[in-house]
Every structure is written in structure tokens, then in C-alpha cells.
Amino acid sequence: MAEKNQPPKKHFLLGNLADPEPFSPPRRSISPVSIPARERQSHGNHLLRQVEQLKPAMQNAKEVQEAAGLDKDGLGLRLEFESFDDIDLAIESLARERSGIELLNVRRDENITFATVFVPDGKLLHFEKLVTDYLGERRDRKGNLRDNSSLVNTIKEIRAASLRELWTDDESEFPRQDDEVFWWEVWLPVRKDRQKVVETFRFLAEAQEISLSSSMLEFPERTVLLAYASRKKMQQSMMTLNSIAELRRAKETAEVFDSLSPEQQPEWIEELMSRCEYSAEGEGVPYVCLLDTGVNNGHPLIFHALADSDLHTVQPTWGLDDQAGHGTSMAGLALFGNLTEPLLSSLPINIRHRIESVKIIPHDNANHGEAYLHGYLTKEAVNRTIITDAFRKRVYGMAVSARDNRDRGRPSAWSSAVDSLAVDAEGENEIPRLMILCAGNIDDLNAWREYPASNSSDGIHDPGQAWNALTVGAHTNLVHITEEDADNYTPIAPTGGISPFSTTSSTWQNHWPIKPDVVFEGGNAADDGISPAWMPSLSLLSTHHKPHERLLTTMNATSAATALACRMAAQLIAVYPQLWPETIRALIVHSAQWTDAMLQTYLPVGKKANKGDYNHLIRHCGFGAPDLDRALWSVSNSLTMVIETDLYPFKKEDGKEPSLRDMNLHRLPWPLDELESLGEIEVEMRVTLSYFIEPNPSTRGVRTRYRYESHGLRFDVKRPHESKHDFRGRINSLAINADEGSSSAGDDTKWLIGPQNRHKGSLHSDVWRGPAAELASRGVLAVYPTLGWWKTRTSLARYNKKARYALIISIHAPETEIDLYTAVENQIGVPITIGTV
């Protein structure tokens, strides 16, 4: 192969976002050292009177608690200590754990400190003695003052703690009305016996008719569960309060807003709209084009982002409107993400993209013949938008899939049509498109009971196997059940786990592409041991298709995840409008990371994971959950380099069969001095290669001359102590071997996935981990072609076509003072200037 070593067409670093200084509201400094002396007799007697006044309350609490049959370890009273202005309490001196005196919480209000302390029965004398020693100016045997003044001089008031003193959440979240009923986070102390503390609280709460969640979280010194009650109910019982260390408001879920009456919802929507700024129609504004059930743009949150002229349908008799609700909910998520978050926020929202809609599903589900040739409908839908504006920057989102998974990775007419649209194989201008597809759902409730095995057995639905599309599965962080009648239910998936709805490519033959590519939030389901169910609180909040009836509804599964993926893609295009669709796809994948729950579920426990284990992980979770900030920015100890260029995979000389032509060698401008100074410290290099193939579907063999893909591209990196000449020779051998059907790539053990597993489909990503000094010697990356029908099907005369690709390379070092970004920027010159969001 000929080596192309010319500069790429685009080669730049992502914008550098400096780590911001942590923000905190201004307040006067509180000094723990300089404690003003008090007038001893006046101050001491004031505190002594307050301690004396607490004795009847302590005795009353003891009698009530004994009458209730509580264990003696739980007898006692909660006290609140208040500091003087601008003086921090000597918090460490308040607790005396050997005596059972426990510091429960510390709060600050402006320049005053409050501490809540549990004082067991009989231990109030400890504080009485502290004050009397202060009054008597007690000294030890050597004459040194031991009067506790460093503590007593910081205390302004001592009183019994009420409900308000247990509140450690934001002050604005405290209930203003006695009868407001909501879910409280109840933080219980652990003490000597966690289970006994929980049982006592449950007993007391049930006596007060306070509803409690069956699930709870356990931490080393706290147990957290949920209580559903009003402020009036919570503060009725001193015994109940005495069992609590802290109180907070439980985080709201979609269920909270979904359960609002139609009369209550407009107030929330109006407040949100007052903070929104929409992008007007104009050149350069990205669009999310939804191929779905239509979108009703009469919804107030959608109206300013979707013009009437951008409503289309593939069949005029089907109309433009959304009668099913799916498309309108997709639009809400594509614009705002999960609406629960912006509704609870007070921050301004700048929406820099717009919506297009093409209705591809008839509302009556009638047996329209054309409705079953899905590939044709998808192409017709895209053509409708091209007629409107062929050069708009668009992301096409389609959360519509076949009901079954029988293709098991094999290209179908529908998935092939998607691949053809992405590469624009039939277009005169050859303008590639970013197509984002859902992976398809597991809708069988009984299957959820077999989670996560059910995800492995249910394969991705057509057309999610499309090579050129970004196929989206679902994970979830929604584990908080807030429905009143769901006490016996627990979430099926753990925090960060793959969603019970998500399908996978676990059962596909290994030569088919790795799908899903990534996972976004798709909600959770719950189980009570009898019948699994989906719940609004475990779903995402979005826009209702009948805004005259109600404004909000919920959505879940891979449809919701696909809408979020479309939103992220549009946000990236808004910041980097010059990037190719292949590059946007690569950035989303490159920003993805596996959660702890994914790693724990799909990698072996107790031994080091091998490349086959990581292949198993990716077949379920893709490359993980993407992150917009990671996709947008480089920071000083981490950087991302983006390359957009092309090559000619094949050539045909007169009288000869086509052969391999180009390989591109990319010099990686690694900061050698900086990396070598890190020595054996482990660093990470990630490489993502994204390109679009031209499809040629048939059932004539996967690896024959009739193969599906027009060409393949691969990447490899120079190894330590390998000269550039030797590296070029090795890449030539790899390309020839691949061309002849051999897949040997040699031994390079520090890649997580490895060339045998990563080079599937048209999107390849892998992570190398090793010593920084070794990475410094890996400064050249090759992209080279492999066999495809452009080469083998000479009668079709595609052998001289050019193939473009996006290459993303990043390095990440542990927290260090070495500025990798600046070092690389100095080597490659001034990067393209990118504005901030």
C-alpha cells in the first residue's frame, strides 16, 4: 500500500475548558481559633438555666419511651447547640461517643453554626458539669485551667431539638405548610445495632400512621429510608424525632409532575418557559428530525422549536398530527432532556437546536401495504426533509423498530436502507447523514424478572443492526420509587445498570457489528415478587401530545434513550458545526464510559478481565454512557484530538484486479518530555475510528466477494522500540492478511478490547492502558483499508471511490500538575477556535 503522510483535512484539539473554581455563596468567615472571652458568671449561669430547663423534657421523653417498650439504648433526647455570631462551635468537643453522646448533624445559616446532638438518658449531667466547671474555673492538679472555655464560650443557646433542627437539606425545600404531604429522606443513626434502630423507627412511624418505603440504603454510620407524611405528622411524636439523625426532602421524580392535575401543570410549564431561550430558524441551526408518529407543535414547550413548515408525512392520508403520543414525547426529550430536571431548576435554558417531524407510522395501525416496507418509508421520510432544505445540519432520530429480533445482526432491507441513507449512496451530492436508532425494547413484563439474563437473550430489533447508524440502548439511574401504593416494590436494575427494557447483541454471531453503540437513560422497572411493572417515578418526564388535556407525561425504554442521544448530537453540532456526521457519532461514543454497575454485572469477579470479557460487556452496554462535557472539552490533564480526512482504499490498474491502495500514517503529537517525566504512572489512550460503508445486502456469504460492506478500515499504533519503517511493514502485512482472510494482528496486550473484537462494523473504539513512558514511544497511528465489495465486485466499478473517516484520539493522565493540553497545542499549532456553550 502507498503511504499517505500529508496533513489531514481537519486536525485540531477540542476546546480547552479550565477547571472552574468551586463556587460557594459569600458569607463571613468563621474563625475556629479566635474565640472571644465571655463574662463568665453571666454566660455560664445562662447556659446552666437552659440545661436545668431540659431536665423535665428528658424525664418526659424517658417515661414515654419506656411506656412504648423501647430498648434503654434508645432512651434520650436530641439537643440543639447554637453558636455565637461569627464563631464556629467546637463541634468535636460536643460528642462523647463512649458515653453515647452522638453528634447527629451540623448546619450553618449565614454566620451561625447549629449542631444537633443525641444525649442518652442520664447523660445530661455531662453538659451540666461542663458549665459548672466553667463557672468554677476548674484547674487540674498542676494548676492548669480546665474550665472547658474553648467549648462553652462558643455556645450561645442550648435547647431541645425540634423537627426544624433535624432538617439538613436546602432551606428552601423545608415544607411551609403543616399539611403538605411528601416523601422525606429519613437518615437514621447506626449506633450499636443498625437493625434495632431501624426496627424501632419503623415501629414508631407505623404507630403514627406514617408510610415508609420497604427499601433502604446503608452507609457506615447512617441508614436512609423514605417516609411519606406531612410536617404536622412528622413533628407530632417526640419519640419518632428522637430516632432521627437528619431529615431531607426526597428527590422528586417524573411521577411527581405526572401526577399533577391538568389544572396544576400549566403553572410549572409557564415558569419553565420564562427561563427558556429558543433558537430561531436560520442558517447553521441544527435540527433533530424525528421519524415517528408525528409531533404536535401546539404544545407550549415545542411551539417555538417546530415550525408548521417542518411538519411532514410520508403519506398525505395519514395526516401530520400525532395521535399516538410517541413522537411528541420524543420531541420534548430531544429538546429538554428529562423534564424533571429543568422543572426543578431555576437556571436559564438556552436551546440551540430545533425540531423537524416526519410521520412514518399511520395512527390507526391499519394494514396499509406501504406501511410494512419500512426501508422505503424511511427513505421517503428523509427525502421529504431534503426537499425542504437539502443542506440543513440534521440529526435523524428513529425510535421505531420491528417487533421481533429474528435478524440477529444480519442486514435487512430496512437496516440496509438506513446504511444507504447515512452514507448518501444514492444522492447526487453525497452528503452523509447521522442516523440515530433505538435498539428496541424488551416489553415482556415476565422477562424482567430474569434481569439481567433477559437482556442477554433478547436481541436488538431491526433496523438497529445498521452499520452506519448510532444504535442506542438504555441504562438507568432511576431507582427512587415514590408512588404511594408501591411500598412492596423494589427497582429491578441497580443505579447505573443496564435498563430492563434494553436489548443487546449478545446472541449475535461475532462477525456482526457491536451493538448497541452507547446507552442513555431509559428508565427502570420494579418488582414486588409477584408481578413486575413500570412506574412513572422510574420513567422520564416529557411532553404530552394533547396539551389541551394535560401538558406532561412519562416516557421510557430505548425510545427515551434515543431522544436523549439525538439531543446530545444536536448540542455537539451547535458547538462544532463544521464536524462531519461520522465525527459527531465518534465523539458520542468516545465520551462514553461504563458505570460501576455495568462492570460488576458483565466482567468477572475476582480475576482480571480478558478481551473476551470486554467483548461480552460491549455486546450488552455498548461503550457505556456518553457525557456531553467529556465530548466537548479537553482539560489540562486530558486532551482529545480530532482528525477528519480520507483515503482511497483500492486501486485498479489496466488489465489487473483491484488491489489495496492507501494507508494513512498519523503522527501523534504526544508531549514526550511530559509523558516521560511521569515514568511508570499508568495513563490511558483511547482511539475511536468512525466511517460509513456503502451497503450491498444479499444472503451470499459474510466473508465472500459478495460481502455487505463496501470496504473496511482498521487502526493500529506503533509499538515501543518499533521503527517507523518496521511499523509500516507490519501494517502492510496486516492489511494483506486481512485482504486474504487472515485476522492475525500480533500480540499487543495492553488494549482492553483488542483488534480481533474491536474491528466489527464501521465504528471501532478501544482503550490502551500502560506506563506513560511507553505511551511516549507510541507516536504513530495507522489507518488502513480491508476487503470490501468495492474491490471484489469489479463489475460495479466502485474500486476507485474515496473513503473518508473521523479519527478521535485522547490521552488521559491521573491528576497531575503537568499540562498535557498546552504541550500538544504547541506542537500542532493553533487549534480551530471553538466557542463555549
Side-chain angles (χ1 to χ4, degrees):
M1 287 187 297
E3 173 189 331
K4 283 178 65 183
N5 216 10
Q6 75 272 22
K9 294 183 177 179
K10 296 180 189 174
H11 186 166
F12 58 94
L13 299 179
L14 292 184
N16 187 15
L17 180 67
D19 291 327
E21 289 294 321
F23 172 80
S24 59
R27 66 180 176 90
R28 287 175 283 174
S29 62
I30 296 178
S31 169
V33 178
S34 179
I35 303 173
R38 310 293 172 190
E39 202 291 310
R40 188 177 294 268
Q41 293 302 312
S42 173
H43 179 56
N45 285 321
H46 170 70
L47 294 181
L48 201 58
R49 285 193 297 272
Q50 292 188 335
V51 172
E52 193 67 27
Q53 291 168 3
L54 289 169
K55 289 182 179 179
M58 177 70 82
Q59 181 61 30
N60 180 61
K62 176 183 178 181
E63 292 173 358
V64 172
Q65 291 163 353
E66 285 180 336
L70 298 187
D71 189 272
K72 64 178 183 179
D73 290 338
L75 302 182
L77 189 67
R78 269 133 176 89
L79 304 183
E80 182 180 65
F81 293 79
E82 178 184 337
S83 78
F84 283 95
D85 193 49
D86 281 336
I87 299 297
D88 207 0
L89 285 170
I91 293 168
E92 297 292 336
S93 300
L94 286 174
R96 195 178 183 86
E97 294 184 3
R98 290 183 180 179
S99 301
I101 299 173
E102 180 185 3
L103 179 66
L104 297 178
N105 67 66
V106 177
R107 298 168 292 112
R108 287 185 172 85
D109 183 6
E110 292 295 328
N111 51 334
I112 298 175
T113 306
F114 300 91
T116 306
V117 176
F118 174 74
V119 182
D121 177 44
K123 300 301 180 181
L124 193 59
L125 291 173
H126 167 71
F127 292 100
E128 187 175 26
K129 188 174 186 304
L130 285 177
V131 179
T132 56
D133 286 347
Y134 172 81
L135 284 168
E137 299 185 52
R138 185 177 74 85
R139 297 178 182 270
D140 62 19
R141 293 177 181 178
K142 296 182 179 181
N144 297 319
L145 201 61
R146 292 289 185 265
D147 63 351
N148 310 308
S149 58
S150 61
L151 169 61
V152 178
N153 280 336
T154 68
I155 301 172
K156 182 181 180 182
E157 303 286 343
I158 308 174
R159 54 181 167 264
S162 66
L163 178 77
R164 192 60 176 259
E165 282 70 57
L166 297 175
W167 188 260
T168 59
D169 208 340
D170 190 286
E171 189 63 26
S172 64
E173 295 293 332
F174 189 79
R176 298 289 179 255
Q177 305 295 326
D178 277 346
D179 57 355
E180 179 188 352
V181 181
F182 63 97
W183 283 99
W184 306 66
E185 275 187 11
V186 180
W187 294 59
L188 303 177
V190 172
R191 301 212 181 92
K192 297 177 182 178
D193 188 332
R194 182 193 300 271
Q195 184 176 352
K196 186 180 293 185
V197 172
V198 173
E199 289 175 353
T200 298
F201 178 75
R202 287 190 180 279
F203 171 77
L204 294 171
E206 288 171 6
Q208 291 294 116
E209 298 182 342
I210 295 174
S211 300
L212 300 179
S213 63
S214 58
S215 56
M216 59 187 183
L217 295 172
E218 294 184 358
F219 302 103
E221 295 186 281
R222 291 289 183 266
T223 305
V224 184
L225 45 74
L226 299 180
Y228 190 71
S230 65
R231 186 178 80 177
K232 181 178 180 180
K233 182 79 72 173
M234 289 292 287
Q235 63 190 8
Q236 275 180 346
S237 170
M238 177 65 73
M239 288 190 299
T240 305
L241 293 181
N242 274 344
S243 302
I244 299 170
E246 302 179 41
L247 288 170
R248 306 180 189 181
R249 186 183 286 266
K251 300 298 187 296
E252 303 289 14
T253 66
E255 182 268 337
V256 174
F257 295 104
D258 184 58
S259 64
L260 292 175
S261 68
E263 293 75 26
Q264 294 171 313
Q265 290 183 356
E267 181 180 352
W268 288 90
I269 298 301
E270 288 169 9
E271 192 282 329
L272 173 58
M273 288 185 64
S274 70
R275 294 183 279 113
C276 291
E277 181 180 345
Y278 292 84
S279 291
E281 297 179 76
E283 186 177 350
V285 176
Y287 283 72
V288 173
C289 182
L290 297 172
L291 314 183
D292 212 283
T293 61
V295 176
N296 292 338
N297 64 345
H299 195 288
L301 291 180
I302 299 174
F303 175 77
H304 297 287
L306 175 54
D308 288 344
S309 57
D310 290 325
L311 294 170
H312 309 283
T313 180
V314 295
Q315 176 56 258
T317 59
W318 296 354
L320 300 172
D321 61 324
D322 177 15
Q323 298 185 36
H326 191 270
T328 304
S329 292
M330 288 284 292
L333 293 177
L335 286 170
F336 291 91
N338 185 355
L339 271 169
T340 303
E341 297 162 15
L343 283 172
L344 290 173
S345 172
S346 59
L347 298 175
I349 297 173
N350 184 7
I351 301 173
R352 301 178 64 181
H353 58 281
R354 296 179 60 81
I355 299 292
E356 277 182 319
S357 167
V358 186
K359 187 171 183 175
I360 64 170
I361 300 176
H363 66 269
D364 56 3
N365 290 318
N367 187 19
H368 302 280
E370 68 272 20
Y372 290 91
L373 190 54
H374 305 293
Y376 168 79
L377 292 179
T378 305
K379 284 192 172 185
E380 281 296 298
V382 171
N383 287 336
R384 294 289 193 277
T385 65
I386 292 173
I387 293 170
T388 301
D389 188 337
F391 298 99
R392 259 184 191 171
K393 294 185 180 300
R394 289 184 176 93
V395 176
Y396 289 91
M398 187 167 67
V400 177
S401 65
R403 294 182 181 275
D404 58 58
N405 57 9
R406 64 180 183 269
D407 294 295
R408 296 188 180 276
R410 181 171 59 95
S412 68
W414 195 0
S415 72
S416 300
V418 170
D419 282 334
S420 181
L421 287 167
V423 76
D424 197 22
E426 299 176 6
E428 294 180 4
N429 300 307
E430 291 194 11
I431 303 174
R433 307 177 181 94
L434 180 57
M435 309 290 293
I436 299 182
L437 308 178
C438 71
N441 300 326
I442 302 172
D443 295 323
D444 182 359
L445 275 64
N446 291 323
W448 298 344
R449 304 193 70 177
E450 303 302 320
Y451 175 91
S454 53
N455 298 96
S456 300
S457 59
D458 201 331
I460 285 172
H461 299 190
D462 189 24
Q465 71 271 37
W467 288 43
N468 295 338
L470 182 76
T471 303
V472 181
H475 77 111
T476 188
N477 288 311
L478 299 176
V479 296
H480 185 189
I481 299 172
T482 58
E483 282 78 3
E484 293 184 35
D485 56 350
D487 287 351
N488 295 327
Y489 281 88
T490 57
I492 290 175
T495 302
I498 186 174
S499 169
F501 300 101
S502 196
T503 54
T504 70
S505 63
S506 176
T507 61
W508 290 5
Q509 291 180 299
N510 202 40
H511 54 256
W512 293 126
I514 295 171
K515 298 287 180 174
D517 298 299
V518 289
V519 289
F520 281 80
E521 177 65 69
N524 207 341
D527 192 5
D528 63 352
I530 301 173
S531 177
W534 74 269
M535 295 182 175
S537 63
L538 300 179
S539 305
L540 291 81
L541 190 70
S542 191
T543 44
H544 198 277
H545 68 296
K546 295 182 178 180
H548 57 285
E549 295 181 6
R550 61 184 297 112
L551 293 168
L552 298 172
T553 188
T554 56
M555 194 177 206
N556 57 19
T558 60
S559 291
T562 301
L564 297 184
C566 291
R567 178 174 184 252
M568 179 176 176
Q571 288 173 312
L572 288 171
I573 295 171
V575 178
Y576 299 130
Q578 77 275 32
L579 293 185
W580 295 344
E582 299 95 321
T583 314
I584 298 296
R585 179 175 75 150
L587 278 173
I588 292 173
V589 169
H590 200 84
S591 75
Q593 290 184 356
W594 297 301
T595 64
D596 290 341
M598 295 173 194
L599 297 173
Q600 292 164 8
T601 302
Y602 294 109
L603 293 186
V605 178
K607 68 172 186 176
K608 185 178 180 179
N610 59 35
K611 291 174 174 55
D613 296 324
Y614 278 101
N615 185 55
H616 180 66
L617 168 67
I618 299 170
R619 289 280 179 189
H620 288 83
C621 306
F623 292 95
D627 181 87
L628 181 62
D629 289 337
R630 279 197 300 269
L632 283 172
W633 308 112
S634 296
V635 293
S636 60
N637 68 322
S638 175
L639 61 90
T640 301
M641 185 169 63
V642 178
I643 299 169
E644 294 181 334
T645 189
D646 54 49
L647 55 72
Y648 287 89
F650 314 113
K651 63 181 178 181
K652 186 180 185 306
E653 298 175 351
D654 291 342
K656 296 182 179 180
E657 291 295 313
S659 60
L660 299 175
R661 175 174 167 176
D662 292 339
M663 70 172 171
N664 283 353
L665 294 185
H666 298 279
R667 184 185 66 84
L668 307 179
W670 291 157
L672 300 184
D673 293 340
E674 286 79 0
L675 288 173
E676 288 172 353
S677 69
L678 293 175
E680 293 300 307
I681 294 177
E682 184 176 84
V683 297
E684 181 177 290
M685 172 176 63
R686 183 165 183 175
V687 180
T688 300
L689 175 64
S690 173
Y691 57 98
F692 292 162
I693 57 96
E694 184 181 357
N696 186 24
S698 67
T699 309
R700 291 181 287 178
V702 176
R703 301 191 184 280
T704 68
R705 60 196 299 253
Y706 303 102
R707 62 182 58 215
Y708 178 73
E709 70 275 23
S710 55
H711 65 288
L713 297 179
R714 305 288 183 260
F715 70 82
D716 208 329
V717 179
K718 188 177 84 68
R719 298 174 184 174
H721 313 299
E722 188 176 41
S723 69
K724 186 176 178 181
H725 178 271
D726 291 340
F727 176 54
R728 187 187 304 112
R730 180 166 64 83
I731 297 303
N732 267 309
S733 297
L734 285 175
I736 293 170
N737 288 340
D739 197 46
E740 295 175 349
S742 171
S743 59
S744 174
D747 184 27
D748 198 355
T749 60
K750 293 185 175 68
W751 292 99
L752 285 188
I753 302 165
Q756 300 296 328
N757 292 318
R758 73 184 178 222
H759 290 145
K760 309 290 171 60
S762 63
L763 178 64
H764 316 307
S765 190
D766 206 348
V767 176
W768 179 93
R769 291 175 182 160
E774 182 178 332
L775 179 60
S777 64
R778 289 175 168 262
V780 182
L781 182 146
V783 175
Y784 61 93
T786 59
L787 195 62
W789 63 264
W790 279 356
K791 178 177 182 291
T792 60
R793 301 294 289 142
T794 55
S795 61
L796 299 177
R798 297 282 219 281
Y799 37 73
N800 287 325
K801 289 197 69 172
K802 183 168 56 178
R804 72 181 198 176
Y805 63 86
L807 181 66
I808 300 180
I809 310 160
S810 62
I811 57 174
H812 174 75
E815 293 299 329
T816 174
E817 295 182 359
I818 295 175
D819 188 346
L820 299 177
Y821 183 95
T822 301
V824 173
E825 182 182 12
N826 290 337
Q827 290 195 53
I828 70 171
V830 180
I832 293 175
T833 301
I834 303 298
T836 60
V837 289

